[in-house]
Amino acid sequence: MTTIFLIGFMGAGKTTIAKELAKKLDYNVIDLDEYIEKKHNTSIEQLFHEKGENGFRALEKEALAEIVKTEKSIIATGGGTPCFYNNMEVINQHGISIYLKLGVENLMERIIESKQERPLIKGMGPHQLKEFIAQTLAVREPYYMQANYKLKVKDLQIGALADFIKAEMFTAPIN
Ligand code: S3P
């Protein structure tokens, strides 16, 4: 049995798609951000505030190491997870990684719609947010592109993805 990692930028739909996929595959869902929040009994926003981004990244790495071996699970990572330390390597060593890919315009629409507080973009106006997404995505994409599979979220059919993953696990089990 394997572990499936969903990676991609904030707003790409990792958490939502993880839940849908888990239902279809009868897998467990682990949302890395939620895991960190439960573990430290506080919010991601508060952790950024107290420890700064570097402090948060260290906790994120530690949390990732704790959950990578959870079998039969879909792990929704945070948008920055694959881009710090050797996290992408760790992810690829422990399961199948899927990059949920969206362009700047679509990410922008989805991030603006979501009411969720995200410390990295808090308080940004539309212009600044677009710049941030474009610049950050350019830095992060080389990491995201190391995923085993790259899927365009706009075309994504969860049912078809679940069938594909099932077939993939059957023919090419990892671990
Ligand atoms: C972050 C994305 C967030 C969360 C933290 C940092 C990032 O997760 O881990 O706010 O660096 O892109 P989501 O991608 O689930 O929003």
Side-chain angles (χ1 to χ4, degrees):
M1 280 303 164
T2 194
T3 309
I4 296 162
F5 295 90
L6 299 185
I7 68 169
F9 208 81
M10 289 175 247
K14 300 178 294 287
T15 304
T16 315
I17 292 171
K19 285 181 187 154
E20 289 291 308
L21 255 185
K23 253 190 262 162
K24 291 203 183 291
L25 294 170
D26 194 22
Y27 264 41
N28 304 304
V29 186
I30 304 176
D31 183 276
L32 185 58
D33 283 342
E34 271 176 30
Y35 179 88
I36 295 169
E37 289 182 331
K38 276 198 196 123
K39 182 178 172 191
H40 297 279
N41 199 24
T42 185
S43 65
I44 298 293
E45 199 184 352
Q46 191 58 28
L47 286 172
F48 262 77
H49 181 69
E50 280 170 18
K51 301 180 184 296
E53 181 171 359
N54 289 345
F56 170 75
R57 296 302 172 194
L59 298 180
E60 183 181 46
K61 179 185 171 48
E62 191 182 270
L64 180 69
E66 287 163 10
I67 60 171
V68 283
K69 290 196 179 135
T70 324
E71 292 195 339
K72 243 192 148 205
S73 59
I74 317 263
I75 298 179
T77 60
T81 314
C83 317
F84 291 86
Y85 300 98
N86 64 337
N87 292 350
M88 195 60 213
E89 211 178 305
V90 170
I91 287 171
N92 279 339
Q93 276 166 0
H94 288 89
I96 297 175
S97 54
I98 302 175
Y99 171 28
L100 301 175
K101 186 172 163 61
L102 271 175
V104 176
E105 295 292 337
N106 293 122
L107 285 170
M108 171 94 184
E109 279 167 25
R110 294 170 64 127
I111 290 173
I112 281 179
E113 267 172 32
S114 77
K115 302 265 181 290
Q116 210 184 324
E117 290 291 344
R118 288 174 161 120
L120 285 177
I121 55 174
K122 204 176 171 190
M124 285 186 185
H127 182 73
Q128 201 188 355
L129 180 60
K130 195 169 175 181
E131 288 275 292
F132 172 84
I133 296 173
Q135 284 173 12
T136 313
L137 188 60
V139 173
R140 291 184 174 182
E141 197 131 61
Y143 295 93
Y144 296 154
M145 292 302 278
Q146 292 170 36
N148 299 125
Y149 300 98
K150 294 104 186 159
L151 298 179
K152 284 193 187 151
V153 174
K154 274 189 91 182
D155 310 333
L156 191 63
Q157 300 255 346
I158 305 282
L161 176 59
D163 290 344
F164 169 77
I165 290 171
K166 271 187 198 162
E168 194 64 17
M169 287 186 314
F170 186 68
T171 53
I174 294 179
N175 297 333

